Amino acid sequence: VRIPFATAHHASIAKQVIEVDRELQPQAVKRVLEVQDDVLVATFSTLTVRLARLTLNAFLENVDLVVRTISEFGADSERRPT
Amino acid sequence: MPGRVRRSPLKSPERAYLALGLEGSANKLGAGVIKHDVDGSSTVLSNVRHTYITPPGEGFLPRDTALHHREWALKVINDAMKNAGVSIHDVDCICYTKGPGMGAPLQSVALVARTLSLLYQKPLVGVNHCVGHIEMGREITGAQNPVVLYVSGGNTQVIAYSRQCYRIFGETLDIAVGNCLDRFARVINLSNDPSPGYNIEQEAKKGRRLLPLPYATKGMDVSLSGILTSTEALTLDKRFRADNQTRGPEDQDVFTPQDLCFSLQETVFAMLVEITERAMAHIGSKEVLIVGGVGSNERLQQMMGIMAHERGGRVFATDERFCIDNGIMIAQAGLLSFRMGHQTPLLKSTCTQRFRTDEVHVAWRA
């Protein structure tokens, strides 16, 4: 799955945030997250189609939350030097 | 209390510190900003909360609760920052609930916390939910060294502080008291707005009969699931009148949902008062601090007050702004921890459903 971001920095943030949590069934689901330019690339391999559906749904919900957070606070976070 | 007075390791800060706290372990999503001033005082700058309320007869499930938190997180955080009148640039750390609680909702809040931490380059502090309740209770009431009764929908523990650890003296062996009350509220179809426990408290005031229910203290602990089953079984009893109507002039031995609410409250609260009293006797304390959502129940505060008064002590309780799960308590406990040098690195900023109160090293107390 390829998720484009506005900048490489944002894509990297999303990768770091999502990869902290382990997959619920690490023995049945393999996940690899990487950033290519400003795109977050997630590669999943699962034992069953059902697991693929569940894993992908959860991943997309998490990505959606991170994207909305960056969208809401991203501009403000860059406005002032910390 | 016996023993020499130790000096607190927490020095007054050389400048004002600010912390943002995010809470979402159950169905309440909270965000709050707290300020620690140079004179050692703590000020609540904002405390915003939104509760996921289910229809009557239904409880809240992890998936739907997580969805609620994801929908409301950004708005609640924005409101908290606006009410506080500060920007996230100004806070020193971002505190979030590491546990205990429900997995999916906890993780949703943690994702937002991590994202904000990376966007604004602020350190993360993972906080134990129970310690958050205790620290906020101590701060608001000023209680010195009380026995803490922590009662909510997810936890029921009697806690006392000793040597940098909140030690659990007694707890529930099965379900929490708030869980017991909420599940009974579902059986009699009470509204969940503002919370099932509040509605049970109001119904109990109209009860007139005290029905016999099993009284299950086990030494310093309590067991609540048996009482719940008995109370639910009584609703199937042929003497139960759900509509509060008697069948005729001969219909004397009947009881109503209000009677059941009253009996349930009296029984479980008496049990909680007993195990609290045991802890007080054990360590010779004269103060009781009640924290957690069920702590906002005035009947519980009243019963505890009677017991404490008989022992020459007193009860401390906070109002629903701080009793019920909120973000400011996470900010408070998190900032105390942060000022003692504790942070949670991003890779360790996970959440856990089981996080014992006594696992936390309370570095900020003597």
Side-chain angles (χ1 to χ4, degrees):
Chain A
V1 180
R2 303 178 64 89
I3 320 265
F5 281 84
T7 67
H9 179 56
H10 289 168
S12 167
I13 289 182
K15 169 181 182 286
Q16 291 175 70
V17 165
I18 295 180
E19 71 184 357
V20 177
D21 299 305
R22 269 186 4 167
E23 285 295 321
L24 284 173
Q25 295 190 49
Q27 73 282 10
V29 176
K30 298 282 172 287
R31 173 187 80 191
V32 175
L33 294 178
E34 50 185 2
V35 172
Q36 296 169 3
D37 298 322
D38 51 5
V39 178
L40 174 66
V41 182
T43 315
F44 296 93
S45 50
T46 63
L47 290 179
T48 66
V49 173
R50 176 182 169 272
L51 265 178
R53 172 174 61 86
L54 297 173
T55 309
L56 204 52
N57 279 339
F59 173 72
L60 288 175
E61 280 172 350
N62 292 344
V63 164
D64 171 67
L65 180 60
V66 173
V67 163
R68 278 188 294 124
T69 309
I70 297 179
S71 153
E72 180 71 31
F73 291 99
D76 178 64
S77 73
E78 279 151 31
R79 202 166 295 139
R80 270 207 274 150
T82 36
Chain B
M1 278 205 57
R4 64 178 173 86
V5 175
R6 296 179 183 82
R7 215 170 313 133
S8 165
L10 189 69
K11 308 277 169 284
S12 277
E14 75 283 3
R15 60 169 175 88
Y17 277 80
L18 286 172
L20 167 66
L22 304 175
E23 151 65 26
S25 59
N27 64 332
K28 290 85 147 170
L29 174 65
V33 182
I34 201 147
K35 178 175 175 191
H36 284 184
D37 257 319
V38 290
D39 59 359
S41 67
S42 293
T43 318
V44 174
L45 294 184
S46 66
N47 191 10
V48 181
R49 174 173 65 217
H50 193 269
T51 310
Y52 170 49
I53 300 179
T54 45
E58 289 178 32
F60 53 89
L61 294 169
R63 188 176 154 74
D64 306 317
T65 313
L67 184 62
H68 166 268
H69 290 354
R70 286 200 297 271
E71 280 176 6
W72 285 88
L74 302 179
K75 170 146 196 342
V76 166
I77 296 175
N78 260 327
D79 288 348
M81 301 316 296
K82 211 177 308 168
N83 292 357
V86 296
S87 153
I88 302 186
H89 286 289
D90 304 321
V91 308
D92 289 285
C93 57
I94 297 182
C95 315
Y96 73 100
T97 313
K98 193 169 175 58
M102 301 167 85
L106 280 172
Q107 196 216 5
S108 300
V109 173
L111 283 171
V112 177
R114 287 177 212 147
T115 311
L116 290 176
S117 159
L118 286 176
L119 278 175
Y120 289 86
Q121 294 293 295
K122 299 291 178 188
L124 275 172
V125 182
V127 178
N128 180 308
H129 181 86
C130 316
V131 172
H133 274 292
I134 298 174
E135 288 304 331
M136 206 60 211
R138 281 183 64 226
E139 179 58 41
I140 295 290
T141 63
Q144 286 309 302
N145 199 4
V147 164
V148 180
L149 176 65
Y150 170 34
V151 273
S152 71
N155 297 281
T156 297
Q157 300 172 0
V158 176
I159 296 160
Y161 171 79
S162 172
R163 290 189 195 253
Q164 308 204 312
C165 180
Y166 285 117
R167 299 171 196 271
I168 301 175
F169 272 68
E171 57 183 334
T172 174
L173 295 174
D174 32 61
I175 60 177
V177 61
N179 189 339
C180 178
L181 294 171
D182 293 352
R183 279 162 67 176
F184 182 63
R186 269 185 253 159
V187 166
I188 54 173
N189 247 307
L190 281 184
S191 163
N192 290 324
D193 187 4
S195 81
Y198 178 81
N199 292 325
I200 287 201
E201 185 180 358
Q202 304 314 308
E203 293 296 298
K205 290 179 188 167
K206 303 179 217 156
R208 281 162 321 182
R209 254 188 92 168
L210 181 66
L211 295 146
L213 290 170
Y215 184 87
T217 50
K218 312 276 185 197
M220 312 244 346
D221 299 318
V222 291
S223 164
L224 291 158
S225 58
I227 302 177
L228 176 61
T229 315
S230 300
T231 319
E232 288 175 352
L234 279 177
T235 61
L236 301 170
D237 190 296
K238 56 182 180 343
R239 295 171 297 161
F240 179 62
R241 303 284 172 262
D243 49 6
N244 297 17
Q245 302 295 326
T246 53
R247 303 273 189 266
E250 296 302 310
D251 204 25
Q252 291 300 317
D253 181 21
V254 296
F255 52 87
T256 64
Q258 286 75 23
D259 297 330
L260 284 177
C261 289
F262 173 67
S263 310
L264 181 61
Q265 275 203 174
E266 293 297 302
T267 312
V268 299
F269 290 169
M271 288 159 50
L272 293 175
V273 169
E274 177 182 330
I275 62 169
T276 311
E277 185 168 14
R278 282 175 192 270
M280 284 174 81
H282 198 86
I283 61 176
S285 166
K286 280 193 160 28
E287 297 176 325
V288 179
L289 171 63
I290 312 182
V291 297
V294 182
S296 56
N297 188 306
E298 285 168 0
R299 179 62 185 144
L300 175 61
Q301 293 175 16
Q302 186 187 32
M303 288 169 80
M304 194 68 73
I306 296 172
M307 178 275 285
H309 186 68
E310 284 173 4
R311 298 183 65 87
R314 47 178 298 208
V315 173
F316 295 87
T318 59
D319 61 50
E320 53 86 32
R321 283 172 300 163
F322 304 109
C323 249
I324 304 187
D325 291 349
N326 57 82
I328 200 72
M329 72 189 193
I330 303 297
Q332 167 72 0
L335 188 51
L336 288 171
S337 190
F338 181 70
R339 281 170 55 196
M340 294 307 296
H342 170 79
Q343 292 188 21
T344 309
L346 184 70
L347 285 173
K348 291 210 162 69
S349 65
T350 48
C351 300
T352 171
Q353 293 191 246
R354 286 169 181 52
F355 188 0
R356 293 288 280 171
T357 317
D358 46 22
E359 281 177 31
V360 175
H361 173 60
V362 183
W364 55 91
R365 288 182 71 172

